[in-house]
């Protein structure tokens, strides 16, 4: 079938970003399309001598591609390890056997460990199209995953990637469910608990939809793209790290699933539990504190939902030897002042240095979470965690530890400052009654965050503050005048994102 | 927000076929991507002065696009009615409100008429991504649609496009559930019942995955791309037609949903009922016969499933004044001899002309279905339909009517003959014990069908036939030597697709 030499095509890198989905572009009249009977959106097995990938086909007419060429998306190019001019073969992709289990789930049959051990590696290997991933996610949400299915999904996700092991009885970790702008407690918590002797090898993510991920923020202070060996050296030496998780392949299925879940805005408890726990188990954690903002526009909307999620997390975590504690919190406004990598880093530094202007809400939330971690791992008596954490912060141990961690990761550096700044001012007198997290985050992104490290927004007010007309509510930071103007324009059109009213 | 002149981009047609999904390609560093904070796979509202469409974004690096350009897929180009060099604007797509109903369905809430009246037009307008359509389909399959939901879905699908009306008490139609290669009874049935005075305005589809659709086959005999007015003229004059349905916009949601259902291989009874009935109701039919091959590899796998589907179809059809009868049949081998547009047309002509070499299985199946339609519509007494149909076929009335219909559609023509032919021969003596419909259809497609009208495969044997080594089992027809060789190659590698064994 693939023996005909004229059925090879010359690979061409098109530079198209399709995230993890592999895509192939071929001319509609190319001999392979005609003889194989391909049409657009077919799933195609693309092969070189050593490698293969399943890609979605987009047929092209006109001059974009020659009939002897196949254009490939970046993801397909990388998976096939191609060089320009390499030859590829294409044929109809064979049936992906594990999809039968997904269809079975749609028709009401439970997924067992065996089924999930087939489905999850197929998803990681790119054998599922986005449409098929969507069917899997929807089927698991429409008939909620049972506790047994949730545990099996977690296990399959852990097994789908690398696992770190630390050879210690206690390995601490922390996770935040549902993004609140500026909620950058992680580096503070790592510094505190590591200064108190706990091991906390923290892998963090970059922003997907927010103005900054923890990894983006941390990168303004120290290198974060460390491989497993380098991470291990840092943790051996300092007891903790704050690095980008992308360089180590922990629960890679989660990254694929979470993108589709976000696109659909569909969450199911079982999938959320498997997502959180698989990353932590793969990272080798034994004691995990979860930061869970609760509010009408947050991911978790009520105390009841938080309790249900807590018990599902604890039950699923137990067989893996993982202890979990959840701290709910107020999700009604941003935490700290900065939004954007460098601005958030400055908040973190201010708290660590005990600067008297440091944002107290960020300090308080970090102490609460660090305290819970100290109690959960037996380093502090119940009720004594926050005081112990505060002592390490107040006497400079945490700050000293943080500097050492940054040095171990490759050298501490100063976060950049944006050359262009402008205040957004109050348009009337009154009291701040509402802050729209979503639009504030958007403002910071329009100013250039997270791509421009120095860009973003800095808040000057919190809920309940009294303001007078003309007072600065927040300051925009940008690296170009164009982006500053663009964000200002959005601010002018959305003056109600920080609502001021007579109390 | 969209007022900045530098946030316009010059539209460029890339010639990329993405079916109904609109796609936009922008350079990663273009000012719009940066200032809007776009990333790949974001859903983008693309606008001209008068029109807009929601498109999926693919970001590009390198030389494929300039930073001032936006590349568009064919579907986006057509929906926006663009000319080269036109300027477009792009911003984040607003929330598609009806997705809240889809999420509600995922979480267990029934869909009412109002919800479906929002969802279906959004799908037709391209506001749903494939991932979102997949969630809708999966949610409706995971918790089967209730009879009320099925009726509401049917009504919403009918309302999403055009409707034909014929001002007659009886308008006959026919539909085949699940493709069996070569099953071209439609033109024969239309000719028979129209010759007996019934009105049967038949709209047919082109092949999606098969070697020929009814419209592809009919096109080798007469023009099929008629608009509503032309169809009406033909039907007024001759009582029947066989035209391509794509030129009239009947239940356009069905075309979008069916592609994703096929990709997922997920069928739900409710969706199948709404799909079939919405097309028939929109076409103005009052009496419909359904041809339903039943078999282990067919769409409907058992007599029980056929009965359940029958009663759901009848119940849903009743409020629309539509009468339905289902004829199950054997789905174990192709019907007729030809597979491919012209080869199937020759089978149809042979039956209509009462050629003594005409395939008797095709004749018998067409008579059965035509007979059922005559009985259902009251033209023949129960049990008398087949005999009446046979009389119209035998005495030449059907053939005469068919020629008149072809003339009315624009002129009858001779189906083309392929210049390159080659037999696939039996490799041993024995009896034909199994025929793989799927691989036989693939063979016909490799030879060039349905794009090359004359190409395909012609069967010479049926189940149970005795053959000796070297006897031709089927003949390949191709328009180029390359395609002939390619199909032969596949035939050689798959000699077991027609299995010969000692009885």
């Amino acid at each position: 079938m693939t023996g005909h030499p004229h059925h090879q095509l010359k690979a061409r890198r098109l530079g198209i970003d399709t995230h993890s989905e592999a895509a192939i572009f071929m001319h509609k009249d190319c001999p392979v399309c005609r003889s194989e009977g391909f049409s657009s959106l077919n799933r195609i097995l693309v092969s070189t001598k050593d490698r293969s990938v399943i890609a979605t086909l987009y047929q092209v007419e006109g001059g974009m591609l020659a009939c002897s060429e196949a254009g490939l998306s970046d993801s397909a190019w990388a998976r096939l390890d191609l060089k320009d001019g390499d030859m590829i073969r294409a044929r109809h992709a064979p049936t992906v056997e594990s999809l039968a289990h997904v269809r079975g789930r749609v028709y009401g049959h439970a997924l067992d460990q065996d089924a999930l051990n087939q489905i999850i590696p197929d998803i990681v290997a790119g054998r599922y199209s986005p449409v098929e991933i969507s069917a899997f996610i929807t089927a698991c949400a429409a008939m909620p995953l049972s506790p047994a299915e949730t545990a099996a999904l977690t296990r399959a996700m852990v097994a789908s990637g690398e696992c770190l092991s630390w050879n210690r009885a206690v390995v601490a970790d922390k996770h935040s469910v549902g993004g609140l702008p500026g909620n950058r407690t992680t580096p503070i918590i790592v510094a505190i608990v590591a200064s108190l002797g706990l091991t906390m090898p923290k892998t963090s993510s970059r922003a997907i939809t927010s103005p900054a991920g923890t990894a983006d923020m941390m990168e303004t202070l120290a290198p974060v793209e460390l491989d497993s060996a380098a991470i291990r050296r840092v943790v051996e030496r300092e007891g903790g790290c704050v690095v980008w998780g992308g360089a180590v392949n922990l629960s890679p299925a989660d990254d694929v699933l979470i993108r589709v879940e976000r696109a659909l805005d569909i969450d199911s408890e079982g999938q959320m539990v498997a997502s959180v726990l698989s990353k932590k188990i793969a990272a080798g954690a034994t004691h995990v504190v979860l930061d869970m903002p609760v509010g009408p526009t947050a991911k978790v909307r009520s105390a009841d939902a938080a309790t249900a999620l807590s018990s599902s997390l604890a039950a699923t975590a137990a067989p893996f030897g993982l202890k979990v504690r959840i701290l709910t919190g107020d999700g009604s406004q941003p935490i700290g002042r900065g939004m954007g990598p460098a601005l958030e880093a400055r908040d973190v530094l201010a708290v660590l240095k005990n600067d008297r202007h440091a944002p107290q809400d960020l300090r308080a939330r970090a102490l609460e979470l660090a305290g819970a971690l100290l109690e959960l791992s037996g380093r502090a008596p119940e009720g004594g965690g926050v005081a112990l954490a505060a002592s390490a912060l107040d006497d400079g141990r945490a700050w000293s530890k943080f500097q050492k961690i940054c040095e171990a990761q490759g050298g501490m550096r100063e976060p950049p400052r944006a050359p262009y700044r402008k205040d957004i001012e109050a348009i009337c007198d009154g009291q701040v009654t509402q802050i729209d997290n979503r639009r504030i985050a958007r403002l910071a992104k329009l100013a250039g965050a997270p791509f421009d490290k120095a860009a973003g927004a800095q808040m000057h007010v919190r809920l309940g503050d009294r303001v007078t007309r003309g007072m600065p509510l927040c300051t925009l930071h940008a690296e170009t005048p164009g982006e500053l103007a663009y964000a200002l324009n959005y601010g002018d059109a959305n003056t109600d994102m920080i609502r001021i009213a007579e109390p």
Side-chain angles (χ1 to χ4, degrees), chain A:
Chain A
M1 273 300 292
T2 55
H4 284 256
H6 69 280
H7 288 112
Q8 296 198 13
L9 294 169
K10 190 183 279 187
R12 191 169 132 194
R13 179 171 195 166
L14 294 176
I16 297 177
D17 177 7
T18 52
H19 290 319
S20 61
E21 187 192 358
I24 184 165
F25 297 76
M26 290 185 217
H27 200 286
K28 207 165 259 179
D29 294 329
C30 88
V32 180
C33 282
R34 288 184 58 102
S35 61
E36 292 276 339
F38 290 163
S39 68
S40 266
L41 305 194
N42 279 174
R43 297 284 286 167
I44 307 292
L45 184 73
V46 188
S47 315
T48 62
K49 252 180 226 126
D50 327 304
R51 297 182 180 225
S52 66
V53 71
I54 297 182
T56 300
L57 172 66
Y58 296 93
Q59 286 184 320
V60 172
E61 284 178 310
M64 187 178 139
L65 282 172
C67 282
S68 57
E69 289 180 321
L72 292 141
S73 69
D74 288 350
S75 51
W77 193 264
R79 277 179 192 264
L80 290 169
D81 194 24
L82 287 168
K83 284 176 293 294
D84 256 307
D86 282 356
M87 301 303 284
I88 58 101
R89 286 181 177 134
R91 60 185 179 92
H92 280 285
T95 308
V96 178
E97 303 288 347
S98 69
L99 280 169
H101 297 300
V102 175
R103 279 189 286 273
R105 187 76 178 44
V106 172
Y107 298 131
H109 304 288
L111 293 168
D112 59 15
Q113 189 69 60
D114 196 47
L116 286 159
N117 285 350
Q118 293 168 46
I119 292 169
I120 296 298
D122 277 345
I123 289 175
V124 171
R127 294 187 199 107
Y128 277 41
S129 70
V131 157
E132 290 160 348
I133 296 172
S134 172
F136 173 67
I137 288 169
T138 306
C140 294
M143 291 169 298
L145 292 168
S146 69
E149 286 180 308
T150 303
L153 176 60
T154 305
R155 194 166 282 115
M157 287 172 74
V158 170
S160 74
E162 285 180 50
C163 287
L164 304 177
S165 66
W166 300 100
N167 221 356
R168 318 223 172 165
V170 175
V171 177
D173 211 336
K174 173 258 170 191
H175 182 82
S176 187
V177 177
L180 201 56
N183 191 11
R184 277 315 140 234
T185 53
T186 297
I188 306 169
I189 297 167
V190 170
I192 291 172
V193 305
S195 80
L196 291 165
L198 265 180
T199 302
M200 186 162 178
K202 184 76 188 82
T203 54
S204 296
S205 53
R206 294 193 184 277
I208 297 182
T209 57
S210 68
T214 294
D216 299 313
M217 178 244 96
M218 188 67 187
E219 202 170 29
T220 70
L221 296 169
V224 295
E225 297 206 355
L226 279 65
D227 62 19
S228 307
I231 293 172
R232 190 166 296 280
R233 271 197 306 276
V234 174
V235 175
E236 295 291 340
R237 205 164 96 189
E238 300 300 341
C241 68
V242 183
V243 298
W244 179 52
V248 283
N249 192 32
L250 308 177
S251 187
D254 186 47
D255 305 336
V256 181
L257 294 175
I258 219 159
R259 277 201 185 271
V260 178
E261 284 165 15
R262 284 193 192 174
L264 289 173
D265 199 9
I266 287 178
D267 271 319
S268 74
E269 191 178 285
Q271 282 169 331
M272 204 194 283
V273 167
S275 165
V276 171
L277 293 184
S278 65
K279 284 275 190 204
K280 301 297 140 194
I281 293 162
T286 59
H287 294 72
V288 178
V289 164
L290 290 169
D291 178 16
M292 190 184 291
V294 177
T297 62
K299 206 162 203 174
V300 179
R301 308 199 173 190
S302 69
D304 281 358
T307 308
L309 188 54
S310 285
S311 77
S312 174
L313 278 160
T316 310
F320 295 96
L322 188 65
K323 290 199 163 40
V324 176
R325 188 180 292 183
I326 297 184
L327 265 75
T328 56
D330 169 35
S332 61
Q333 62 182 328
I335 291 188
R337 297 198 191 98
M339 277 162 290
L343 293 167
E344 295 178 22
R346 285 182 201 289
D347 282 352
V348 166
L349 292 179
V351 170
L352 284 168
K353 289 177 174 177
N354 294 305
D355 187 307
R356 68 195 173 86
H357 299 299
Q360 292 307 303
D361 57 341
L362 179 63
R363 175 188 156 96
R365 190 71 185 149
L367 287 177
E368 234 184 310
L369 290 161
L373 206 42
L374 291 166
E375 291 171 13
L376 183 69
S377 60
R379 295 272 157 164
E382 284 302 316
V386 172
L388 180 59
S391 75
L393 191 56
D394 291 339
D395 65 14
R397 272 178 293 170
W399 170 227
S400 161
K401 174 54 76 181
F402 186 73
Q403 290 169 288
K404 285 181 189 158
I405 289 173
C406 288
E407 288 308 321
Q409 287 187 200
M412 190 156 184
R413 49 205 185 195
E414 184 77 11
R417 278 180 197 280
Y420 301 96
R421 299 181 210 174
K422 181 90 179 160
D423 290 338
I424 289 184
E425 295 169 353
I427 53 165
C428 61
D429 298 354
Q431 192 168 15
V432 177
T433 57
Q434 215 174 324
I435 297 178
D436 185 332
N437 288 331
R438 204 182 52 77
R439 283 193 284 172
I440 289 281
R442 181 131 172 65
L443 188 70
K445 287 169 69 181
L446 288 173
F451 305 104
D452 299 340
K453 298 285 177 201
Q458 187 159 30
M459 298 291 293
H460 302 302
V461 293
R462 292 182 52 74
L463 288 178
D465 285 359
R466 291 207 62 94
V467 297
T468 53
R469 188 163 183 277
M471 238 177 86
L473 300 174
C474 76
T475 305
L476 295 172
H477 293 237
E479 295 190 1
T480 66
E483 284 166 312
L484 187 70
Y486 200 56
L488 272 173
N489 195 26
Y490 181 75
D492 288 346
N494 290 272
T495 51
D496 61 332
M497 70 184 143
I498 300 173
R499 193 166 292 170
I500 297 164
E502 277 315 304

